[in-house]
Amino acid sequence: MAKERIPDWLNSSLWSTTPSVDDRLHRFSLSPTTTTTTAAAAVSEPIVQPTVPVSPPAAASRRQPTVTSQKYEFRDPIDKNSNNNSNDNDQNASPTGVSPDDISRQAQLLAELSKKVVNFRELRRIASQGIPDGAGIRSTVWKLLLGYLPPDRLQWSSELAKKRSEYKQFKEELLMNPTEITRKLEKSAVDDHSKSESSGPLSRSQVTHGEHPLSLGESSIWNQFFQDTEIIEQIDRDVKRTHPDMHFFSGDSPLAKSNQDALKDILIVFAKLNPGIRYVQGMNEILAPLFYVFRNDPDEEMAAAAEADSFFCFVELLSGFRDHFCKQLDNSTVGIRSTISRLSQFLKEHDEELWRHLEITTKVNPQFYAFRWITLLLTQEFNFADSLHIWDTLLSDPEGPLETLLRVCCAMLILVRRRLLAGDFTSNLKLLQNYPSSNISHLLYVANKLHSQASN
C-alpha cells in the first residue's frame, strides 16, 4: 500500500524539534532541559519541557488579595510571578514570563466577564486557546463553561447561595453517623410520646427494626452505613494518593489535610446520591483540578466555598462521562470500549499507516493506553499546569468535552508517530503508557487541525 502523504501543516518548522530521550522522569525537575529547534521534513515530535505549576499557598490565611469579584482584578495560584510561594518551594516551581498572547487573552476574558450578560460563544472561543495563568480568572470561566454560573451576572449571587445551601444540606443528611440519626429519631419519638403521655420510656415496639445496628434490612440506616464503609475507605486511600508531588493535596500540613477532607466529602456525597455508579477509582483525579482551581480563587469568599462549587461542577463534568464509569455499560454503545473504538477509527481516518502499524502489525490494543487517557481526562499524562491548559480547551467545546478529548488523544499519537512506526509492541506500549513531555500549544494546534479536516 502506498503511504499517504503527511499534511504540510504537520511539517512546519515552527513546531519542529530534535527528538530527545524520554524525559518523563525529569518532568518535575527544577532545571528543565532545553531543546533545539530545527526544520524537519518529517512529522515533528516536540519534546519541549512544559511549564510546571507553582504550588498554591501553604495556608489560606496567607493570601491577602486586594481584589474583589466585582472589579474582576484576578490573580491565579499558578502565577509564576507570585510571591505567595516564596517560602514553599514545591518540586513544581518553574518561573516563566507572560507572553503577549496571554496578555491579550487575559484582557479579552476580563472584558467578557465584565459584561452584564456573558457571551458564551465568545467566551468559549477565547478560553479554548488557553486561559492565562496569571489572570486568576480560570475559576470563574470554568464555572461558566460547566453551566454552574448563568450568563446573566445579576443572577450569580442568588444561584451560588442556593447551590451552596443545597450542598450543605446534602452533607448534613448524608454524612451523618447512624448513631446521630438514631438519636434524632429517638428524640423525635420521645417528643411525640410526651405529647400523648406525660412520662415513661419508649416501649420496645416503638423502636423500629431499621434503627437497630444489627438489622440487615434494605432500609436499615445501619446496614447502609456498613455497606458504605468499604467505599469510604477506598475514597480515603485514593484521596491520599492524589498528586503526591503537590503540597496542596499531599502531606501532613493543615492545608493538605483540609483539602483532603473536602475531596473525601465531595466524593462520598456523590457516591450516595448516585447509587447506580457510586464511587469508581480515578474519580478523585477528575475532581482534583476543579477543587484546586476553585480553592485558589483570589476572591476569599469564592475560595471558602470551593467544596460546594467543586461538587456541582464535578457532577456536571461527569455527566458527560458517567457511562465510562459504569462497568455494566462497558460493552454498550455508550460505554468506554465504544469510545476507545471511536478513537481507533478516528486515527485510522487521519493516519491509516500509523493505525495499521499499531493495531495490525504490532498488535497494540488501544485499550492498553487509551482507557486511562479517556477516563481520567489526560490528568495523568501531563504535569498539572499542562493538564489545566488542556482542560481549558476541553471545557470550551459547546458539544461537550468528549469530542475534543478524542481529537487531543489522536493528536498525541500522531505527534509520536515516527517513534511508534519504528517501534515494536513492547517499546510502543511503554511509550504510550508513559507519554513523553510535549509542547501543549503544539498538541492542541494539531488537535484543532484534525477538527478542521473533519469539518471539511
Side-chain angles (χ1 to χ4, degrees):
M1 177 186 295
K3 294 184 179 180
E4 295 186 2
R5 182 174 178 272
I6 301 301
D8 293 336
W9 55 269
L10 273 176
N11 295 328
S12 170
S13 60
L14 177 64
W15 309 111
S16 301
T17 59
T18 54
S20 62
V21 179
D22 184 353
D23 58 350
R24 183 179 178 85
L25 294 177
H26 306 289
R27 182 170 297 169
F28 298 108
S29 171
L30 294 177
S31 304
T33 56
T34 306
T35 55
T36 305
T37 303
T38 62
V43 178
S44 61
E45 295 183 33
I47 310 296
V48 179
Q49 183 67 22
T51 304
V52 192
V54 174
S55 58
S61 60
R62 280 173 142 183
R63 292 195 308 274
Q64 297 178 349
T66 58
V67 299
T68 64
S69 57
Q70 301 295 325
K71 295 182 179 180
Y72 289 97
E73 299 174 0
F74 297 99
R75 173 174 57 80
D76 194 88
I78 310 183
D79 183 359
K80 312 307 186 295
N81 299 318
S82 172
N83 294 323
N84 290 331
N85 303 299
S86 58
N87 298 321
D88 188 15
N89 295 326
D90 224 337
Q91 298 174 349
N92 301 344
S94 177
T96 60
V98 180
S99 70
D101 287 343
D102 285 347
I103 296 175
S104 175
R105 281 200 304 277
Q106 174 180 331
Q108 294 178 62
L109 287 169
L110 289 172
E112 197 58 50
L113 293 176
S114 298
K115 294 179 180 178
K116 182 178 179 181
V117 178
V118 176
N119 184 331
F120 265 61
R121 183 174 181 178
E122 185 66 11
L123 183 71
R124 289 192 183 100
R125 183 191 67 80
I126 303 169
S128 66
Q129 303 169 38
I131 301 173
D133 292 333
I137 54 180
R138 184 176 270 122
S139 173
T140 304
V141 173
W142 278 18
K143 290 172 186 174
L144 285 162
L145 295 176
L146 286 166
Y148 184 55
L149 287 177
D152 188 345
R153 284 183 56 202
L154 296 178
Q155 299 178 13
W156 287 6
S157 295
S158 59
E159 285 294 318
L160 289 174
K162 181 176 69 174
K163 289 294 187 181
R164 290 165 181 172
S165 175
E166 187 177 349
Y167 178 72
K168 181 180 179 182
Q169 186 176 355
F170 284 154
K171 290 184 67 175
E172 291 175 350
E173 295 177 357
L174 300 175
L175 301 184
M176 188 180 295
N177 187 291
T179 302
E180 299 174 3
I181 298 177
T182 303
R183 188 179 295 116
K184 281 192 173 184
L185 292 174
E186 289 177 349
K187 184 178 184 301
S188 177
V190 168
D191 292 341
D192 293 340
H193 182 72
S194 62
K195 291 179 182 178
S196 58
E197 299 182 17
S198 58
S199 62
L202 285 174
S203 66
R204 190 181 187 88
S205 62
Q206 288 177 293
V207 179
T208 64
H209 179 66
E211 297 166 20
H212 196 283
L214 299 181
S215 172
L216 298 178
E218 292 184 3
S219 60
S220 168
I221 56 177
W222 281 97
N223 184 34
Q224 187 62 52
F225 171 76
F226 292 130
Q227 289 181 11
D228 292 340
T229 299
E230 183 178 350
I231 292 178
I232 293 173
E233 290 176 350
Q234 180 66 58
I235 290 174
D236 184 66
R237 287 194 297 269
D238 290 349
V239 165
K240 289 179 179 177
R241 290 196 292 255
T242 303
H243 294 288
D245 56 303
M246 295 180 64
H247 294 168
F248 181 86
F249 293 108
S250 181
D252 297 324
S253 68
L255 174 67
K257 291 294 185 182
S258 173
N259 294 336
Q260 289 175 7
D261 289 342
L263 294 178
K264 284 190 288 187
D265 287 349
I266 292 171
L267 293 171
I268 293 171
V269 170
F270 177 85
K272 292 191 173 186
L273 290 175
N274 295 271
I277 300 179
R278 308 281 281 176
Y279 170 78
V280 179
Q281 193 169 18
M283 287 183 176
N284 58 304
E285 302 293 351
I286 297 178
L287 173 61
L290 294 171
F291 183 75
Y292 177 88
V293 169
F294 297 161
R295 184 64 182 86
N296 285 286
D297 193 307
D299 186 312
E300 289 187 335
E301 181 181 351
M302 290 292 185
E307 183 179 331
D309 296 347
S310 298
F311 170 78
F312 286 103
C313 288
F314 175 72
V315 171
E316 182 61 33
L317 178 60
L318 216 62
S319 65
F321 299 95
R322 60 183 296 149
D323 293 338
H324 292 167
F325 292 94
C326 188
K327 191 172 183 179
Q328 293 85 344
L329 297 176
D330 279 355
N331 296 316
S332 70
T333 56
V334 295
I336 182 61
R337 290 180 182 172
S338 175
T339 302
I340 293 176
S341 295
R342 288 181 57 197
L343 172 60
S344 174
Q345 183 62 30
F346 200 62
L347 176 64
K348 184 178 181 181
E349 293 172 0
H350 290 277
D351 195 335
E352 185 171 352
E353 180 190 9
L354 178 57
W355 171 84
R356 185 172 299 278
H357 180 76
L358 277 177
E359 299 193 23
I360 306 299
T361 304
T362 62
K363 301 187 184 304
V364 176
N365 190 321
Q367 291 189 36
F368 296 159
Y369 59 88
F371 183 89
R372 187 178 70 184
W373 290 9
I374 294 172
T375 56
L376 301 186
L377 307 187
L378 299 175
T379 57
Q380 302 302 291
E381 315 314 316
F382 304 95
N383 68 49
F384 197 76
D386 287 343
S387 295
L388 298 186
H389 189 177
I390 292 173
W391 275 38
D392 293 339
T393 302
L394 297 182
L395 300 182
S396 299
D397 192 329
E399 298 178 0
L402 182 57
E403 295 304 315
T404 299
L405 176 63
L406 292 179
R407 288 194 294 271
V408 173
C409 290
C410 186
M412 289 168 65
L413 295 170
I414 291 176
L415 288 184
V416 292
R417 75 184 307 273
R418 182 169 55 187
R419 296 169 67 176
L420 291 172
L421 290 173
D424 56 12
F425 173 86
T426 302
S427 62
N428 285 346
L429 187 60
K430 182 179 179 181
L431 175 65
L432 297 177
Q433 289 184 341
N434 299 273
Y435 196 80
S437 299
S438 303
N439 183 320
I440 298 302
S441 296
H442 181 201
L443 174 64
L444 296 176
Y445 169 81
V446 173
N448 185 57
K449 277 293 185 176
L450 296 177
H451 179 52
S452 301
Q453 286 185 344
S455 301
N456 295 332

